Coordinates of all heavy atoms in Angstrom, one line a residue:
P1 N -243.4 77.8 -39.6 CA -244.7 78.1 -40.2 C -245.3 79.4 -39.6 O -246.0 80.0 -40.3 CB -245.5 76.9 -39.8 CG -244.5 75.7 -39.7 CD -243.3 76.4 -39.1
D2 N -245.0 79.7 -38.3 CA -245.6 80.9 -37.7 C -244.7 82.0 -37.5 O -245.1 83.1 -37.2 CB -246.2 80.5 -36.4 CG -245.2 79.9 -35.4 OD1 -244.1 79.5 -35.8 OD2 -245.5 80.0 -34.2
R3 N -243.3 81.9 -37.6 CA -242.5 83.0 -37.3 C -241.1 82.8 -37.9 O -240.7 81.7 -38.3 CB -242.3 83.2 -35.8 CG -241.5 82.1 -35.1 CD -241.3 82.4 -33.6 NE -240.4 81.5 -33.0 CZ -240.7 80.4 -32.4 NH1 -242.0 79.9 -32.5 NH2 -239.8 79.6 -31.9
L4 N -240.3 83.9 -38.0 CA -238.9 83.9 -38.4 C -238.1 84.2 -37.2 O -238.4 85.1 -36.5 CB -238.7 85.0 -39.5 CG -237.3 85.4 -39.7 CD1 -236.5 84.3 -40.5 CD2 -237.2 86.7 -40.4
D5 N -237.1 83.3 -37.0 CA -236.1 83.6 -35.9 C -234.7 83.8 -36.5 O -234.3 83.1 -37.3 CB -236.0 82.3 -35.0 CG -237.3 82.1 -34.2 OD1 -238.0 83.1 -33.9 OD2 -237.7 80.9 -33.9
V6 N -234.1 84.9 -36.0 CA -232.8 85.3 -36.5 C -231.9 85.5 -35.3 O -232.3 86.2 -34.3 CB -232.8 86.6 -37.4 CG1 -231.4 87.0 -37.8 CG2 -233.7 86.3 -38.6
E7 N -230.7 84.9 -35.4 CA -229.7 85.2 -34.3 C -228.4 85.6 -35.0 O -227.9 85.0 -35.9 CB -229.4 83.9 -33.5 CG -228.3 84.1 -32.5 CD -228.1 82.9 -31.6 OE1 -229.1 82.2 -31.3 OE2 -226.9 82.6 -31.3
V8 N -227.9 86.8 -34.5 CA -226.6 87.3 -35.1 C -225.6 87.5 -33.9 O -225.9 88.2 -33.0 CB -226.9 88.7 -35.7 CG1 -225.6 89.3 -36.3 CG2 -227.9 88.6 -36.8
S9 N -224.5 86.8 -34.0 CA -223.5 86.9 -33.0 C -222.2 87.4 -33.7 O -221.9 87.1 -34.8 CB -223.2 85.5 -32.4 OG -222.9 84.5 -33.3
D10 N -221.4 88.2 -32.9 CA -220.2 88.7 -33.5 C -219.0 88.7 -32.5 O -219.2 88.5 -31.3 CB -220.4 90.1 -34.1 CG -220.7 91.1 -33.0 OD1 -219.9 91.2 -32.0 OD2 -221.6 91.9 -33.1
E11 N -217.8 88.8 -33.1 CA -216.6 89.0 -32.3 C -216.2 90.4 -32.5 O -215.8 90.8 -33.6 CB -215.5 88.0 -32.7 CG -215.9 86.6 -32.6 CD -214.8 85.7 -33.2 OE1 -213.7 86.2 -33.5 OE2 -215.1 84.5 -33.4
G12 N -216.3 91.2 -31.4 CA -216.0 92.6 -31.6 C -215.9 93.3 -30.2 O -215.7 92.7 -29.2
P13 N -216.0 94.6 -30.2 CA -215.7 95.4 -29.0 C -216.9 95.3 -28.0 O -216.7 95.6 -26.8 CB -215.6 96.8 -29.5 CG -216.4 96.9 -30.7 CD -216.2 95.5 -31.4
G14 N -218.0 94.8 -28.4 CA -219.2 94.7 -27.5 C -219.8 96.1 -27.3 O -219.4 97.1 -27.9
I15 N -220.8 96.1 -26.5 CA -221.5 97.3 -26.2 C -221.4 97.7 -24.7 O -221.8 96.9 -23.8 CB -223.0 97.2 -26.6 CG1 -223.2 96.8 -28.1 CG2 -223.8 98.5 -26.3 CD1 -224.6 96.5 -28.5
E16 N -220.8 98.9 -24.4 CA -220.6 99.3 -23.0 C -222.0 99.6 -22.3 O -222.2 99.2 -21.2 CB -219.7 100.5 -23.0 CG -218.3 100.3 -23.5 CD -217.5 99.6 -22.4 OE1 -217.9 99.5 -21.3 OE2 -216.4 99.1 -22.8
D17 N -222.8 100.3 -23.0 CA -224.1 100.7 -22.4 C -225.2 100.4 -23.4 O -225.5 101.2 -24.4 CB -224.1 102.2 -22.1 CG -225.3 102.7 -21.3 OD1 -226.3 102.1 -21.4 OD2 -225.1 103.8 -20.6
I18 N -225.9 99.3 -23.2 CA -227.0 98.9 -24.1 C -228.1 99.9 -24.1 O -228.7 100.2 -25.2 CB -227.5 97.5 -23.7 CG1 -226.5 96.4 -24.0 CG2 -228.8 97.2 -24.5 CD1 -226.9 95.0 -23.7
G19 N -228.5 100.5 -23.0 CA -229.5 101.5 -22.9 C -229.2 102.7 -23.8 O -230.1 103.2 -24.5
L20 N -228.0 103.1 -23.8 CA -227.6 104.3 -24.6 C -227.6 103.9 -26.1 O -228.0 104.7 -26.9 CB -226.2 104.8 -24.1 CG -225.7 106.0 -24.8 CD1 -226.6 107.2 -24.6 CD2 -224.3 106.3 -24.3
A21 N -227.1 102.7 -26.4 CA -227.0 102.2 -27.7 C -228.4 102.1 -28.4 O -228.5 102.2 -29.6 CB -226.3 100.9 -27.8
M22 N -229.4 101.9 -27.6 CA -230.8 101.8 -28.1 C -231.4 103.1 -28.4 O -232.5 103.1 -29.0 CB -231.7 101.0 -27.1 CG -231.3 99.5 -27.0 SD -231.4 98.6 -28.5 CE -233.1 98.9 -29.0
K23 N -230.8 104.2 -28.1 CA -231.4 105.5 -28.3 C -231.2 105.9 -29.8 O -230.1 105.7 -30.3 CB -230.8 106.6 -27.4 CG -231.2 106.4 -26.0 CD -230.6 107.6 -25.2 CE -231.1 107.5 -23.7 NZ -230.6 108.6 -22.9
E24 N -232.2 106.4 -30.4 CA -232.1 106.8 -31.8 C -231.1 107.9 -32.0 O -231.2 108.9 -31.3 CB -233.5 107.2 -32.4 CG -234.5 106.1 -32.4 CD -235.9 106.5 -33.0 OE1 -235.9 107.7 -33.4 OE2 -236.8 105.7 -33.1
G25 N -230.2 107.7 -33.0 CA -229.2 108.8 -33.3 C -227.9 108.6 -32.6 O -226.9 109.2 -33.0
Y26 N -227.9 107.7 -31.6 CA -226.6 107.5 -30.9 C -225.8 106.5 -31.7 O -226.2 105.4 -32.1 CB -226.8 106.9 -29.5 CG -225.5 106.5 -28.8 CD1 -224.7 107.5 -28.2 CD2 -225.1 105.2 -28.8 CE1 -223.6 107.1 -27.5 CE2 -223.9 104.8 -28.1 CZ -223.1 105.8 -27.5 OH -222.0 105.5 -26.9
S27 N -224.5 106.8 -32.0 CA -223.7 106.0 -32.8 C -222.2 106.0 -32.4 O -221.7 107.1 -32.0 CB -223.8 106.4 -34.3 OG -222.9 105.7 -35.1
T28 N -221.6 104.9 -32.5 CA -220.1 104.8 -32.3 C -219.4 104.3 -33.5 O -218.3 103.8 -33.5 CB -219.8 103.8 -31.1 OG1 -220.3 102.5 -31.5 CG2 -220.4 104.2 -29.8
A29 N -220.0 104.5 -34.7 CA -219.5 104.1 -36.0 C -218.2 104.8 -36.3 O -218.1 106.0 -36.0 CB -220.5 104.3 -37.1
P30 N -217.2 104.2 -36.9 CA -216.0 104.8 -37.2 C -216.2 105.8 -38.4 O -217.2 105.7 -39.1 CB -215.0 103.7 -37.6 CG -216.0 102.6 -38.1 CD -217.2 102.7 -37.2
P31 N -215.2 106.7 -38.6 CA -215.4 107.7 -39.7 C -215.6 107.1 -41.1 O -216.4 107.7 -41.9 CB -214.1 108.5 -39.6 CG -213.6 108.3 -38.2 CD -214.0 107.0 -37.8
E32 N -214.9 106.0 -41.4 CA -215.0 105.4 -42.8 C -216.5 105.0 -43.0 O -217.0 105.0 -44.1 CB -214.1 104.3 -43.0 CG -214.2 103.1 -42.1 CD -213.3 103.2 -40.8 OE1 -212.9 104.4 -40.5 OE2 -212.9 102.2 -40.3
A33 N -217.1 104.5 -41.9 CA -218.5 104.0 -42.1 C -219.4 105.2 -42.3 O -220.4 105.2 -43.2 CB -219.0 103.3 -40.8
R34 N -219.2 106.3 -41.6 CA -220.0 107.5 -41.8 C -219.9 108.1 -43.1 O -220.8 108.6 -43.7 CB -219.7 108.5 -40.7 CG -220.1 108.1 -39.3 CD -219.6 109.1 -38.2 NE -220.0 108.7 -36.9 CZ -221.1 109.0 -36.3 NH1 -222.1 109.6 -37.0 NH2 -221.4 108.6 -35.1
E35 N -218.6 108.1 -43.7 CA -218.4 108.6 -45.0 C -219.1 107.9 -46.1 O -219.5 108.4 -47.1 CB -216.9 108.6 -45.3 CG -216.0 109.6 -44.5 CD -214.6 109.4 -44.7 OE1 -214.2 108.5 -45.5 OE2 -213.8 110.1 -44.0
M36 N -219.4 106.6 -45.8 CA -220.2 105.8 -46.8 C -221.7 105.8 -46.5 O -222.4 105.1 -47.2 CB -219.6 104.3 -46.7 CG -218.2 104.2 -47.1 SD -217.6 102.5 -47.1 CE -218.4 101.8 -48.5
G37 N -222.1 106.6 -45.6 CA -223.5 106.7 -45.3 C -224.1 105.8 -44.3 O -225.3 105.7 -44.0
F38 N -223.2 105.0 -43.6 CA -223.6 104.1 -42.5 C -223.4 104.8 -41.1 O -222.8 105.9 -41.1 CB -222.9 102.8 -42.6 CG -223.1 102.0 -43.8 CD1 -222.1 102.0 -44.8 CD2 -224.2 101.3 -44.0 CE1 -222.3 101.3 -46.0 CE2 -224.4 100.6 -45.2 CZ -223.4 100.6 -46.2
G39 N -223.9 104.2 -40.1 CA -223.7 104.6 -38.7 C -224.5 105.8 -38.3 O -224.0 106.7 -37.6
A40 N -225.7 105.9 -38.7 CA -226.6 107.0 -38.3 C -227.2 106.8 -36.9 O -228.0 107.7 -36.5 CB -227.7 107.2 -39.3
G41 N -226.9 105.7 -36.3 CA -227.5 105.5 -35.0 C -228.9 105.0 -35.0 O -229.6 105.1 -34.0
M42 N -229.4 104.4 -36.1 CA -230.8 103.9 -36.1 C -230.8 102.4 -36.3 O -231.9 101.9 -36.3 CB -231.5 104.6 -37.3 CG -231.6 106.1 -37.3 SD -232.6 106.5 -35.8 CE -234.2 105.9 -36.3
G43 N -229.7 101.7 -36.3 CA -229.7 100.3 -36.5 C -230.5 99.5 -35.5 O -231.4 98.8 -35.8
L44 N -230.1 99.5 -34.2 CA -230.7 98.8 -33.2 C -232.2 99.2 -33.0 O -233.1 98.4 -32.9 CB -230.0 98.9 -31.9 CG -228.6 98.1 -31.8 CD1 -227.9 98.4 -30.5 CD2 -228.8 96.6 -32.0
P45 N -232.5 100.5 -32.9 CA -233.9 100.9 -32.9 C -234.7 100.4 -34.0 O -235.9 100.0 -33.8 CB -233.8 102.5 -32.9 CG -232.5 102.8 -32.3 CD -231.6 101.7 -32.8
N46 N -234.2 100.4 -35.3 CA -234.9 99.9 -36.4 C -235.2 98.4 -36.3 O -236.3 97.9 -36.6 CB -234.2 100.1 -37.7 CG -234.5 101.5 -38.3 OD1 -235.4 102.1 -37.9 ND2 -233.6 101.9 -39.2
I47 N -234.2 97.7 -35.8 CA -234.4 96.2 -35.6 C -235.6 96.0 -34.6 O -236.5 95.2 -34.8 CB -233.1 95.5 -35.1 CG1 -232.0 95.7 -36.1 CG2 -233.4 94.1 -34.8 CD1 -230.7 95.2 -35.7
K48 N -235.5 96.7 -33.4 CA -236.5 96.5 -32.4 C -237.9 96.9 -32.9 O -238.9 96.2 -32.6 CB -236.2 97.3 -31.2 CG -237.1 97.1 -30.0 CD -236.7 97.8 -28.7 CE -237.6 97.5 -27.6 NZ -237.2 98.2 -26.3

């Protein structure tokens, strides 16, 4: 009634440096993702 809670868990490479990953524009997306317009490095900052 008062809030939405979302949890997303994955099996993957993980994040080496969370502080760096939270910086706007920083991205480790593969080339195929960038070619499709993804991986601009704004995902985690936008969520926060």
Side-chain angles (χ1 to χ4, degrees):
D2 62 337
R3 73 178 188 271
L4 163 74
D5 293 327
V6 176
E7 180 176 321
V8 181
S9 55
D10 67 47
E11 299 174 13
I15 301 174
E16 294 284 349
D17 188 336
I18 291 180
L20 185 61
M22 291 301 302
K23 289 185 177 180
E24 295 184 2
Y26 175 79
S27 176
T28 59
E32 61 267 25
R34 292 178 180 273
E35 289 173 4
M36 299 181 68
F38 298 102
M42 295 299 294
L44 290 175
N46 274 345
I47 297 171
K48 185 175 182 180

